[in-house]
Amino acid sequence: MLETQATRAEDREIAPDIPAGLELGLRNYWYPILQTEDLPAERPIQLTALGEDIAVWRDAAGRPQVVRDRCPHRGVRLSRGRVLEGHLQCAFHGLRFDGTGRCTLIPWEPDTSRLRDEVRVDAYPSEELGGYVWAYIGDAARFPPPPLAAEVPEELSDPEEFIWFRLPNEIWEANWLLTVDGGDAFHAVTLHADSQSTPSEKEWEGGTVAPSAVPLADRRVKIVETPHGMRGISVDRDGKPIHHGHVTRDIRGERVALPGIHTNPISAAPGAEPYAARLWQFPLDGNRTWVVRFLTWRARTEEERARAGRIFEDVALPRLRRVSEEDARIASGLDLVAARSNEFLFEPDMDLVRIRRRLRDAFLAQREGVRVPVAGDAMAFPV
């Protein structure tokens, strides 16, 4: 009887397609927990990710290290301690730990003390790549981490072929599943009607871009099938497309990949080279989401890199700032359980349902000892 009750509790859904626990994220994946310049060399910092407090510091070689932010001795935050000889020392009683979580010093015990082998802190594999500090948050013994480069966008390992521009990390006041929902492929033509639409008649030659002159009252939405699934296209009353930046042809990869990575191929203005908008959304806790984003162009020559920089500064960055504000405002007004339990879904929402179930199935698979990998083609440059 007790086992049956435990099984039922484990399989409980808090809302349709949300097994209990998924609201705190998918463990056993690589996450960009902060930008590399935000991690100092001389002291630890405290972060929260996937509902867990972590301490992050640089060891004697400058490599990032990540452990659970709790000293196993008396529960004090290790992030309030010091970095000494590359190890993290608890501020309370002086125990030290290395990046593997091993205790390297108990100040009142001799160096030969076996007690050091009995006390340790949970540690998470960590690396730097592409201007980010990454952590594999989960059970690395049960689910060994794949090479970082295999599960992040290809451009981060190829600076000769690509150029990318990192946006400041953001915190949205919403559950991460709601922010992932907010990336559906047909909301943008309405929510971002002014921030994304541009005139279609003239190709971009530099400088800022004005919004489309077609008033919102005269706009409609056309749903089209693309290699990224269903996409909403903005049109006027006569069905003439309004340039909204979304690339709909010759796309590869997936729009949303595990563990919550969005890829949107964009041409921000007619004639401007397309870029990929990469976006991670993962939980700090049940009510807040980390939003990590960069934009990347294929650019081999200095001329191509300079032009990508102009597109970024003149068009893509102003556009994205408004888009992010609008998306955050929508997500912050929702309650996860109430939103998922009281929906009336339409045909274009079926792509969203598939994404939701992919996240659900990956979460449930880990209960059975299976880690679903990030598909390699999902991390390819999409255009």
Side-chain angles (χ1 to χ4, degrees):
M1 180 64 175
L2 290 177
E3 182 178 350
T4 300
Q5 290 176 340
T7 301
R8 287 175 179 170
E10 183 178 279
D11 293 339
R12 177 175 64 92
E13 284 192 341
I14 62 173
D17 292 332
I18 307 178
L22 180 57
E23 72 275 11
L24 290 177
L26 282 172
R27 298 178 71 82
N28 304 302
Y29 289 93
W30 287 102
Y31 289 98
I33 56 173
L34 75 165
Q35 300 197 21
T36 187
E37 62 270 21
D38 293 332
L39 181 60
E42 70 282 357
R43 61 179 177 83
I45 64 172
Q46 186 269 327
L47 294 174
T48 304
L50 278 65
E52 183 172 339
D53 292 332
I54 54 178
V56 190
W57 80 99
R58 293 189 182 277
D59 65 17
R63 297 180 298 246
Q65 304 293 345
V66 179
V67 297
R68 186 182 181 199
D69 194 14
R70 179 185 177 277
C71 181
H73 174 214
R74 296 274 290 276
V76 171
R77 288 188 181 277
L78 288 169
S79 59
R80 295 177 181 171
R82 309 172 181 87
V83 177
L84 296 175
E85 300 176 337
H87 295 176
L88 184 57
Q89 183 174 57
C90 178
F92 201 14
H93 295 99
L95 275 72
R96 289 188 200 173
F97 301 90
D98 66 15
T100 70
R102 182 177 65 91
C103 182
T104 60
L105 176 70
I106 303 174
W108 55 89
E109 292 286 332
D111 289 345
T112 56
S113 172
R114 292 184 178 179
L115 285 174
R116 293 195 309 177
D117 297 327
E118 298 180 16
V119 59
R120 64 181 296 113
V121 63
D122 292 337
Y124 301 116
S126 54
E127 293 186 32
E128 278 184 286
L129 181 67
Y132 294 98
V133 174
W134 303 79
Y136 184 83
I137 301 175
D139 186 346
R142 188 180 182 203
F143 301 103
L148 174 61
E151 295 207 332
V152 300
E154 66 167 324
E155 56 265 31
L156 297 182
S157 301
D158 194 355
E160 299 299 319
E161 181 78 10
F162 300 96
I163 185 172
W164 59 94
F165 302 90
R166 292 172 290 146
L167 280 295
N169 296 349
E170 301 177 33
I171 297 176
W172 290 3
E173 299 294 325
N175 182 271
W176 79 288
L177 293 170
L178 291 172
T179 69
V180 172
D181 281 356
D184 75 65
F186 68 103
H187 79 281
V189 291
T190 301
L191 179 60
H192 310 311
D194 293 328
S195 50
Q196 287 192 343
S197 64
T198 63
S200 304
E201 296 78 18
K202 183 180 179 181
E203 290 199 351
W204 182 81
E205 295 179 354
T208 59
V209 177
S212 171
V214 180
L216 183 58
D218 290 337
R219 299 188 196 184
R220 299 294 183 266
V221 179
K222 180 181 179 182
I223 303 297
V224 299
E225 187 70 29
T226 79
H228 266 187
M230 295 181 184
R231 167 69 74 181
I233 301 298
S234 185
V235 297
D236 63 17
R237 287 180 183 269
D238 297 324
K240 181 180 178 181
I242 300 168
H243 185 86
H244 224 267
H246 299 135
V247 178
T248 59
R249 299 176 59 187
D250 303 321
I251 309 168
R252 58 178 176 162
E254 294 191 38
R255 185 171 59 83
V256 181
L258 298 174
I261 307 167
H262 290 256
T263 296
N264 270 313
I266 300 290
S267 177
E273 286 79 357
Y275 61 87
R278 305 283 200 180
L279 171 69
W280 280 257
Q281 294 171 313
F282 59 95
L284 277 76
D285 52 37
N287 299 308
R288 298 177 299 162
T289 298
W290 267 117
V291 178
V292 179
R293 186 185 335 239
F294 69 85
L295 309 183
T296 184
W297 279 257
R298 190 181 296 278
R300 303 178 182 90
T301 68
E302 290 304 314
E303 181 180 356
E304 290 172 337
R305 291 168 181 271
R307 183 171 169 86
R310 290 195 299 273
I311 298 172
F312 175 73
E313 292 291 342
D314 292 347
V315 186
L317 181 58
R319 163 195 172 111
L320 195 51
R321 282 173 173 160
R322 294 185 62 187
V323 165
S324 188
E325 291 173 359
E326 291 159 353
D327 283 335
R329 177 170 54 85
I330 291 295
S332 66
L334 297 175
D335 173 80
L336 176 63
V337 174
R340 286 286 190 92
S341 302
N342 297 279
E343 296 180 312
F344 187 101
L345 299 178
F346 294 92
E347 183 65 25
D349 293 306
M350 293 305 101
D351 274 351
L352 177 64
V353 171
R354 284 192 286 270
I355 291 165
R356 290 175 175 181
R357 290 177 178 171
R358 186 182 306 152
L359 297 175
R360 177 203 64 187
D361 292 347
F363 178 82
L364 295 176
Q366 290 191 20
R367 290 183 177 172
E368 305 301 321
V370 177
R371 178 189 180 274
V372 180
V374 177
D377 64 345
M379 296 296 95
F381 190 68
V383 289

